[in-house]
Amino acid sequence: MAKDASHCKGGVGLERTVFVAAIAGLLHDIGKFASRAGETPPGGWEQAKQEAGYAHAALSWQVIQGIVPAGWVEELRAVLYHHHLAGATKENAVDPELAYRLALADWLSSGEREPEEEEGAKGIPYVLSPFSRLCGHHAERYYPALSLGDLTIDNAMPAQRTSQPARDEFGRLWQSFHRQAERRLTVMKSGEEEAFLEALYALLQEYTWCVPSAYAKHVSDVSLFDHSRMTAALAVCLTADGRDVQWCQEVMEGLKDKTGALPALERETAVLVGGDISGVQKFIYSITSSGAAKSLRGRSFYLQLLTEAVARYVLRELGLPVTNIIYLGGGNFFLLAPMCAQARLPAIQQEVSRRLLAAHEGGLHLALGWSPVRAGEFRVGEFHNAWEGLHKAIGRAKARPLAHLEDEALAQYLGQGMGVGGDPDKTCSICGAEFEKPAHRDTSGAEPLRLCSTCYGFEELGTDLARAKWLVSAHFAPQALPEHVENWRAVLQSFGMDFWAVEDLRQAVVKVKPAVMLLTPLKGGDVEKETSRIEGVTQVEVYRFFPQLVPWCEQPEKHICTFDELCEASTGGFKRWGVLRMDVDNLGRLFRKGFVRKNGQGKDVNHLTLSRVASLSFALRLFFEGLLPGFAGAGEHAALMQDRLYLQYAGGDDVFLVGSWDALPIFALEVQKGFCQFVCENPYVTISAGIALAPEKYPLYQAADDAGNAEDKAKGWRAEKNALHFLGFTMDWQEVAEAWRWARQFSTWCTAEPPKAPKALVQLLLNLYVGYAQEREQAVRRGRCAPAQVYFGPWMWRLAYYMARRRSDSHMPEEVKQELEELEKRLVQDPRQMEIIGLAARWAHYLARGERKG
Ligand SMILES: [Zn+2]
C-alpha cells in the first residue's frame, strides 16, 4: 500500500527517484520518433520485439543511450521493459518499481486508447489536430512534421495527409532533434539534473509536438510530447507516493478488467491542482494613459511571469519537476501532484498569498484548488468528472480569496493607510502611488512624468522586451521578500525566479546561486557564439513561446510608438487609437463537453483524458502565443498593419492589442480567418472580438473597459456568438469582411483624384441606414417584427429614390453607377445587407474624412 507522506519532502530540490521517473516518462516512447524517421533497433525488429515486448521500447532504450549523459543512463533501463514487465528484474539490472510505475503511468496517461476508438484510426503517421473531431466535427486534418521554431502561419495549418509515411520529413526532423540533443543534453553533468530536465522537456516540446504518440491502431490526436509529459507527470506522482510493484500491478489488473469494477480502481492516484491569479484585469489596466504605452506591455508580461513563478514555486515546494505542469498561461495554471501533496498544499497556498499580499497590497490573489483523482477516473468516460471536480474546487477558493490567511497578516497590510494624496510631486503619474522621491522622471512627452519604482520597472521591462535578442529566466531557491519591494524583480525572486529580456547575454546577471538559467534566443540571438558558462549557474537553451508585435517609430530616433503616435498614424483625418480584445467562445465547454461522442450503442461517452487536456491546451497556446503575431503580416492589407499594432498580451486563448483604429479590424479579420483554418473549419470552435476606439489622452482603463464591453456585445449577440463588435455594429465575421470590402470601395471612390463619387454618397448611405434602423426598431417595439427577423418597410422606397438620383449624376463614372445598381438590388433582396452597408458607410466615412483641426 501507499507509504506515508515522507516521500513528499519538497522544497529541497528533486529527489533522485523523482528525477529518474521524470526522464523515464519523457523518453519512454522516444523510439517512436526514431522509427518514424526510419531508424531500426540494434539487432533488428524481431530481436527487439522478443526482448522488450514492443520493438519501439528497444529503440527508445537505444536513443536514451545516445542522448542522456553516460552517468545516468543505467538508471533508465526500466524503459526497455515497461511493456515487458516480466523482464523487469534486478537480474536485468532494472529497478522493477520504476518499470511498473512507468507502465502504469503510461496506461493512465493514455486513458484515451480504448478499443472502441480504433475504428477511427487511419494509420496516418501525423498528429491529428484535436479540433478535427471536437464537438462531433469530422475533418481529418493533421499537423505538419516541423519543429516549433520553423512554423509560420502558412505551413502550420493542419491539412489532409495520406498514410504514406513521409520518411524524409520525419527524417529531417529527427536529425535536427538529434543534433540539438547532442549539443544541449549530452554535455550535462552530475549536479545539473534539474537543468537537464528543463532542456529535455523544452527540446521534446519543440520537436515531438508533431509526432503522433500512437497511430497504427489508435486515433492519433495526442502528440508524443503531450503523451510523454503526462506519462512523466504520473510516473513522478507514483514515485513520490512510493507506490510499489504490487500496488501498480493491482491497479493495472483493475484497468484491464472488463467489468471495470475492481476495488483497485477506487484508489486515489494523483491530485489535480489548479491556480488562478485574480485581480489581473484591474492590476494591468488601472493606470493613467500618460506613459501607459510604455508600461502596459511590461505589466501584462509581468503577470505571465508571475503566473509562471508561482506555478514553479508550488512545484518546488512539492518537490516536483517541470513535467508536472499540465498548462500554464494567462493567470492560470494546472498541475498534477502526488497524493502526499495534499498535506502541504494549504500551507503553500497561505505562503503564496502572504507574499502576494505583501508585494501587491491585496491587488492580486491566488486561488488554489485541488481535487484527487481515482485510478479509474483517468479512463475515457470518467476523466471529465475529475476535471470538473478541479474547477469546482478552484471556484470555491476564488469565492473566498483570503479566507486562509490569518487575521494578523491581513491587518498588517490592509491597515496601511492609503496616504493623503493630492501632492502631484509626490504621486506616481502612472499608478497614483505615493512616494518621497520619484524613481524616474520622464520629460520626453508633452507633460513631465514622475514614476514610482514599480511603474518604472514595468516601463523598463516593456522596452527591454521590444528590443530583446534573448529571453532569460533563472530558477533558484525562493528568497525572502524585502521590507520595501523595489519592483517586480523582487517579487519574482521571492518565488524563486528571475527574468531578463536582453540584447546581450552579459546583461543577465544571476544574483542567487546555485541557479538554472534558461536561455531563449530570439531573432539576432546566436546560441553557438554567445553562451559561456558562469560559475554556479547552469545554462540551457530552451524553446519558449513569445508572442511579440511592436510598432516602431523611426523619428526622431527609433522608439516604440506611443498611443498618441498610434493615434496619429490612423488613415485620413479621423485620429483614434483603439483596443482589440478577442478570445475563444465557450472555451470551458469545449474542454468539458467537446470530446463527447456516441459509442457503438448510441450512448454519449466523454473521451476527455489527461493527455487530451494537455493537447487541447497546447494547441491553443500554439495558435495564440506562437502563430498570432504572424497575422499582422498576412493578407493583401498587410501594409495597413505594419508598425501600427502593439500586442500587449496573448496567452491561453486571450488577446489584448492596442493599435491605430483602422488597423485593428483588419488584424482581427486575419486572425479569425487563420483561426478558422487552424481549428479545421470546425463550426463549433469560434472566436469573438470587440474593438473600442479612443481619442488621444483617453484613459487606458476606460478603453480597456470599452473593449471588454464591445467583446461582451459580440458574445451576447446570439447563441452561437462568433462575432465582432465594431463602430456600434455587431455582426458575424463574413459580414464584417464584406463590410470591409464595401468600406474600402466607398473610401477609394471618394478619395480618388478626381473623386469617382462624392463624399455625400457615404453620408447618404449612412442616413439611409439610420432611417432603416430607426424604422426597424419601432417595428420591433410595436411587435410588428421579431428581433431576429428581416424587416421590410418604407425605407426601401427611400433607398430606391435616392439611389436613382445619385446615379443620374453625370460626373459619376459608369463602373460606379453599375456597382451602385448592383448594391441596391442586393439591399432590397436581403435587408440584412443594410446592416453591412451601414457599417461599411460608417467605416468609409471615417477612413475618407479629411484632415481637420481640433
Ligand atoms: Zn507607479
Side-chain angles (χ1 to χ4, degrees), residues 23-39 45 55-68 76 79 82-83 102 173-174 177-178 181 185 200 203-205 207-209 211-213 224-225 227-228:
I23 308 185
L26 283 177
L27 291 174
H28 78 286
D29 270 350
I30 192 71
K32 289 183 178 171
F33 185 11
S35 83
R36 277 292 53 63
E39 303 276 316
W45 291 104
H56 73 255
L59 203 46
S60 293
W61 174 234
Q62 191 195 344
V63 176
I64 287 171
Q65 288 168 298
I67 66 174
V68 174
L76 296 167
V79 167
H82 77 278
H83 283 304
L102 186 58
L173 193 70
W174 171 253
F177 168 79
H178 216 267
L185 302 179
L200 175 62
L203 196 64
L204 289 175
Q205 168 171 285
Y207 285 91
T208 64
W209 76 277
V211 177
S213 67
L224 186 57
F225 173 62
H227 170 62
S228 304

Side-chain angles (χ1 to χ4, degrees), residues 428 430-431 433 452 455:
C428 173
I430 309 270
C431 72
C452 71
C455 289

Side-chain angles (χ1 to χ4, degrees), residues 299 428-433 435 450-456:
R299 277 176 181 263
C428 173
S429 319
I430 309 270
C431 72
F435 43 63
R450 290 163 308 277
L451 273 63
C452 71
S453 62
T454 309
C455 289
Y456 185 52

Side-chain angles (χ1 to χ4, degrees), residues 18-197:
V18 164
F19 164 69
V20 172
I23 308 185
L26 283 177
L27 291 174
H28 78 286
D29 270 350
I30 192 71
K32 289 183 178 171
F33 185 11
S35 83
R36 277 292 53 63
E39 303 276 316
T40 49
W45 291 104
E46 257 324 297
Q47 192 197 322
K49 201 166 174 181
Q50 273 172 19
E51 191 183 12
Y54 279 81
H56 73 255
L59 203 46
S60 293
W61 174 234
Q62 191 195 344
V63 176
I64 287 171
Q65 288 168 298
I67 66 174
V68 174
W72 306 341
V73 165
E74 273 310 311
E75 292 166 85
L76 296 167
R77 194 175 273 274
V79 167
L80 185 56
Y81 295 103
H82 77 278
H83 283 304
H84 181 56
L85 290 163
T89 59
K90 295 243 156 65
E91 289 74 59
N92 280 334
V94 172
D95 168 8
E97 279 187 345
L98 177 58
Y100 273 87
R101 289 167 184 163
L102 186 58
L104 176 56
D106 187 18
W107 286 26
L108 292 175
S109 102
S110 51
E112 74 269 17
R113 296 189 208 153
E114 31 81 78
E116 68 172 298
E117 272 207 314
E118 295 182 356
E119 63 196 60
K122 299 268 166 60
I124 295 176
Y126 294 87
V127 175
L128 185 71
S129 160
F131 298 107
S132 56
R133 307 176 101 215
L134 208 62
C135 306
H137 188 50
H138 278 290
E140 310 284 300
R141 309 272 171 85
Y142 299 82
Y143 289 130
L146 291 169
S147 79
L148 285 178
D150 286 336
L151 293 183
T152 65
I153 55 167
D154 298 315
N155 65 20
M157 294 301 164
Q160 289 178 341
R161 311 211 183 253
T162 64
S163 59
Q164 273 308 308
R167 193 151 277 181
D168 263 11
E169 243 178 309
F170 283 100
R172 274 195 301 275
L173 193 70
W174 171 253
Q175 276 161 17
S176 175
F177 168 79
H178 216 267
R179 257 198 319 277
Q180 294 297 329
E182 268 172 20
R183 203 168 58 75
R184 299 188 211 173
L185 302 179
T186 52
V187 296
M188 300 277 181
K189 45 188 197 297
S190 178
E192 299 181 322
E193 282 80 359
E194 206 183 323
F196 176 83
L197 258 186

